[in-house]
Amino acid sequence: MRRLCYLLLMVAGSTGTFQSCSTGLTSGSAEEKLPETVSYNFDIRPILSDKCLACHGPDANKREAGLRLDVPESAFKALQENPSAHAIVAGKPELSEAFLRITTQDTSLLMPPPSSNLKLSQREIRLIEKWIKQGAKYEKHWAFVAPKKAPLPPIDQTEWPRNEIDYFILHKQEQKGLKPNEESDKERLLKRVSLDLTGLPPDLSMMDQFLTDTRPDAYEKVVDQLLKSPAYGEKMALHWLDLARYADSYGYQMDNFRTQWPWRDWVIHAFNQNMPYDRFITWQLAGDLLPNRDGGPATKEQLLATGFNRNHKITEEGAVDEEEYRVTYVTDRNDTFGKGLLGITLECAHCHDHKYDPFSQKEYYQLFAFFNNVDEMRPKYTAIDPTVGKPESYAKKPLMEISNDDVKSLLKFVNKPDTSRLIVSVMGDLDTLRKTYILKRGVFNAYGDEVQPGTPEAILPFNKNYPKNRLGLSQWLFDKKNPLTARVYVNRIWQEFFGQGIVKTSGDFGMQGELPSHPELLDWLAVDFMQHGWNIKRLVKQIVTSATYRQSIVVTPEKLRADPENVLLARAPRYHIPAELVKDLVLASSGLLNRAIGGPSVKPYQPPGLWESATAGGDGMLSTYNQDQGPALYRRGMYTFIKRTVPPPSMAIFDASNRDQCEVSRLRTNTPLQALVMMNDPTVLEASRVLAARLLQENSGMETKIGKAFRLIVNRKPTQQELSVLMTYFGEEMQTMKKTDPEKVLAVGEYPVPEKIDKKRLAALMRVVSMIYNLEESITKS
């Protein structure tokens, strides 16, 4: 109880991270001033999308009264029910039937109908009225128009910007009467950028060096140092593994073992080599179709990269309809392409025309055709190899075998620890083109019209000069006229550093998605990214060296009231670090971290019986959880074995993905379960014990030892008050240990306890260190 009271005392001293329930900036009342010029894209289209397009949108099968309001040629023509009337008459709301219907008092005529539970606000009605008066000008959806670089906007506080990003951010702030925060103190800024670029906290030498470095470019030098760290590739790979639905098991009922981890090693390698984004994606989409330098078949590295499109769940059950599951796999690739690379909800057109975006079901299956020619049927017989599982588990063509010569030459980045056979699922097309049909209602064997490979016209028509295969699709994706590719990726990188993208819905740039908070900045970054060769490290450096990124987290009541969700970024965001990084911070600060890169996934501590109780019979390789020992226990969180049906519990509690499907942004929650993990997880307790033992073996006073622990974990020096509380707690725990068997406190984890050590002092200091790990600030990016 005493320990819990101290925890509550310490946590109460930190600012909470509960997310606001409000949306965006404060305002939205009927009295709010309307814009001088009403924009269809930013003012009218969101209203239509939310309130009208379900019945009057792109889906022809669900369209009421033959009226489509998202395109002018339909909105301006005579009404099907009343040829003398028009839904919209430019300049004349009093003659526009659509406006009359949203303002009528007759509930039998009112739109949206009361039965829909939808209603327009007075401000929305006024916006529509003003838009019609101004000529009812339609615009192509902002996300489907190729981005252009706007000139830097004017600002008053000209001394604040450090690069172009800051002009756009400050301009918006000044429009709303806000000012940016001062730069964060050096300790917090170093922790922030170190976690963001490497996923690891700075060590004491880096902290001391940065604090004493008075050069004006000291921070930029730290950024360069972090970008060169091998850990940079690991941190950048994390978000890509979510998007690519990487896991160590097949999913579905049997959920057996698979070996896709060499693909994960390639992703880390690609980020560390700063592979340009266009090549990074092209190799993953179509590496098997690329010629090598001599014009021959693709290299093994290019082929390995295509594991991206084989990461999806695969059934192992017998007596299934192979074609049904094959279509499911192609659907997964198609939807991942749409959500992950284009930022659109393409899957909505799987069964019918999209209800909100201008994508037809035919276009869905035209895109589907690019992924429909993979040879992935089970062979009749393949010899069992116990190192990679049973034949039904892995023997779905095409496959790539990695023998040891590859690792010594072409694939040096693959951390293959032994000589066992290694099989990876990759891409490879049939020699004969498989026909593609529109599937009625999305049913796998309900064939409609045959279609040829193609792309959504509303985004960019497919160039006839491109080959009609995945390589041509990649060329279309990186066509400079493609309006989405660069926007979507820079937005996702922005999300990695600020907690949410310039477009908050990073997987939906369509009609139902959020509008960009800073559209000109998004477009400027997208064009700049393309102009500089799709250089990811350059983009990352631009962001983290901006004055916007370097602000302090301090929030005033005025700023909280004016901008509760920090959309305008007048302060640095503050939120928990991702699940994998919680483990990384604990292991790194205690000195336990095994910094090996890549290799087979590992099985750390986990509550007993989880896999066993969830296994659907049989004696599969994953029916029993066999925990690793030794150095494997202390690998980074990203190397934890992910069984899709039973994901790692402590990581799931901290909102990690179970990798069932493409995920472009994680939920961010604060629950009591997270506190319980930090208080009871064996990894945290073992790290507390190991760090305490190392501190006790140093020749220094207890106050110095505790202060060092605080710096290692929280990454700043403790205040005198904090140190006093921790020293008091240590004294109380020493008294507790006189009545408690310290062996019981220390009996956690497999790392050995030093033989010649005062175990009562060790147990008492272990609890102090554990308390520091439990501070909210410890696992918070601030």
Side-chain angles (χ1 to χ4, degrees), residues 489-778:
Y489 190 68
V490 299
N491 186 68
R492 198 159 297 138
I493 293 297
W494 187 272
Q495 174 182 270
E496 285 296 299
F497 295 101
F498 291 100
Q500 67 181 35
I502 296 173
V503 177
K504 189 176 181 180
T505 51
S506 55
D508 185 3
F509 275 49
M511 313 296 183
Q512 286 283 289
E514 296 273 351
L515 292 169
S517 58
H518 298 76
E520 295 85 3
L521 172 59
L522 179 64
D523 284 7
W524 192 96
L525 286 171
V527 175
D528 191 67
F529 185 46
M530 291 187 283
Q531 288 175 339
H532 289 87
W534 305 87
N535 188 322
I536 298 173
K537 279 192 178 181
R538 182 181 178 276
L539 171 64
V540 167
K541 186 173 180 179
Q542 276 179 302
I543 292 173
V544 300
T545 56
S546 68
T548 304
Y549 177 85
R550 294 160 69 160
Q551 293 177 94
S552 76
I553 62 168
V554 175
V555 56
T556 63
E558 294 76 21
K559 285 186 177 181
L560 191 61
R561 193 162 45 247
D563 186 10
E565 287 195 356
N566 199 23
V567 173
L568 297 179
L569 292 172
R571 62 185 185 276
R574 188 175 192 272
Y575 50 86
H576 283 169
I577 59 179
E580 294 87 346
L581 303 195
V582 173
K583 181 181 181 183
D584 296 348
L585 183 143
V586 168
L587 293 177
S589 57
S590 66
L592 278 173
L593 182 64
N594 175 355
R595 294 178 183 262
I597 294 179
S601 297
V602 296
K603 302 182 183 74
Y605 305 119
Q606 179 171 294
L610 294 182
W611 281 20
E612 292 78 359
S613 63
T615 299
D619 58 350
M621 296 179 70
L622 301 186
S623 60
T624 302
Y625 188 80
N626 296 312
Q627 178 196 299
D628 283 317
Q629 280 82 39
L633 287 171
Y634 313 118
R635 299 293 308 279
R636 291 193 68 166
M638 71 178 301
Y639 300 118
T640 298
F641 194 100
I642 296 180
K643 182 178 180 180
R644 281 186 162 113
T645 55
V646 193
S650 61
M651 285 171 52
I653 288 170
F654 276 99
D655 307 314
S657 168
N658 68 354
R659 307 278 171 75
D660 264 359
Q661 58 190 3
C662 173
E663 188 170 305
V664 296
S665 61
R666 293 184 181 182
L667 293 174
R668 192 175 299 124
T669 63
N670 290 291
T671 75
L673 292 177
Q674 294 169 352
L676 291 173
V677 168
M678 294 305 295
M679 292 175 70
N680 299 288
D681 188 274
T683 299
V684 180
L685 295 176
E686 181 181 32
S688 301
R689 172 174 62 76
V690 171
L691 179 53
R694 289 177 174 164
L695 292 169
L696 285 178
Q697 291 170 324
E698 294 181 358
N699 185 22
S700 59
M702 186 53 65
E703 188 170 289
T704 301
K705 296 179 193 298
I706 292 176
K708 183 176 181 179
F710 193 96
R711 288 192 73 198
L712 284 167
I713 298 168
V714 186
N715 303 137
R716 65 172 175 83
K717 295 177 182 177
T719 65
Q720 195 55 49
Q721 182 183 7
E722 289 167 332
L723 198 53
S724 176
V725 171
L726 292 170
M727 284 295 294
T728 301
Y729 181 49
F730 173 75
E732 291 178 351
E733 285 301 310
M734 282 297 295
Q735 293 300 314
T736 300
M737 289 306 143
K738 292 180 180 179
K739 300 174 286 186
T740 304
D741 181 1
E743 296 282 1
K744 294 182 178 179
V745 178
L746 301 174
V748 61
E750 297 192 358
Y751 199 85
V753 178
E755 292 183 5
K756 297 180 180 180
I757 198 166
D758 185 332
K759 292 185 178 178
K760 291 187 182 294
R761 281 168 62 83
L762 176 58
L765 185 54
M766 171 186 168
R767 285 190 167 173
V768 174
V769 174
S770 176
M771 181 180 179
I772 298 173
Y773 278 125
N774 275 271
L775 295 178
E776 186 200 35
E777 186 181 351
S778 297

Side-chain angles (χ1 to χ4, degrees), residues 328-344:
T328 300
Y329 308 152
V330 180
T331 299
D332 181 281
R333 293 181 198 122
N334 210 36
D335 296 349
T336 297
F337 180 83
K339 184 178 183 181
L341 304 183
L342 292 175
I344 55 175

Side-chain angles (χ1 to χ4, degrees), residues 288 309-310 312 326 330 333 369-377 397-398 426-430 434 470:
D288 57 308
N309 262 322
R310 300 295 306 284
H312 53 78
R326 190 195 68 79
V330 180
R333 293 181 198 122
F370 287 106
F371 302 103
N372 196 34
N373 209 43
V374 180
D375 179 13
E376 55 191 337
M377 302 302 287
K397 299 187 291 181
V426 292
M427 292 292 276
D429 283 350
L430 293 165
R434 180 183 280 123
R470 287 176 280 110

Side-chain angles (χ1 to χ4, degrees), residues 389-452:
K390 295 184 176 180
E392 64 267 26
S393 298
Y394 75 85
K396 287 178 181 284
K397 299 187 291 181
L399 302 169
M400 171 185 179
E401 183 169 356
I402 299 178
S403 54
N404 286 316
D405 289 341
D406 294 329
V407 178
K408 292 176 182 177
S409 56
L410 298 174
L411 306 178
K412 292 180 180 179
F413 52 84
V414 176
N415 184 357
K416 190 173 183 295
D418 53 42
T419 59
S420 62
R421 193 175 179 210
L422 187 55
I423 301 292
V424 184
S425 297
V426 292
M427 292 292 276
D429 283 350
L430 293 165
D431 294 332
T432 304
L433 190 67
R434 180 183 280 123
K435 291 185 177 182
T436 300
Y437 301 91
I438 296 174
L439 299 180
K440 298 176 182 178
R441 304 177 307 282
V443 177
F444 76 97
N445 59 359
Y447 297 139
D449 294 337
E450 183 180 350
V451 296
Q452 299 301 316

Side-chain angles (χ1 to χ4, degrees), residues 4 35 143 157 234 238 240 280 313 411 445 604 720 722:
L4 182 58
Q157 198 174 329
E234 294 176 301
L238 257 185
W240 197 254
F280 178 67
K313 297 195 295 184
L411 306 178
N445 59 359
Q720 195 55 49
E722 289 167 332

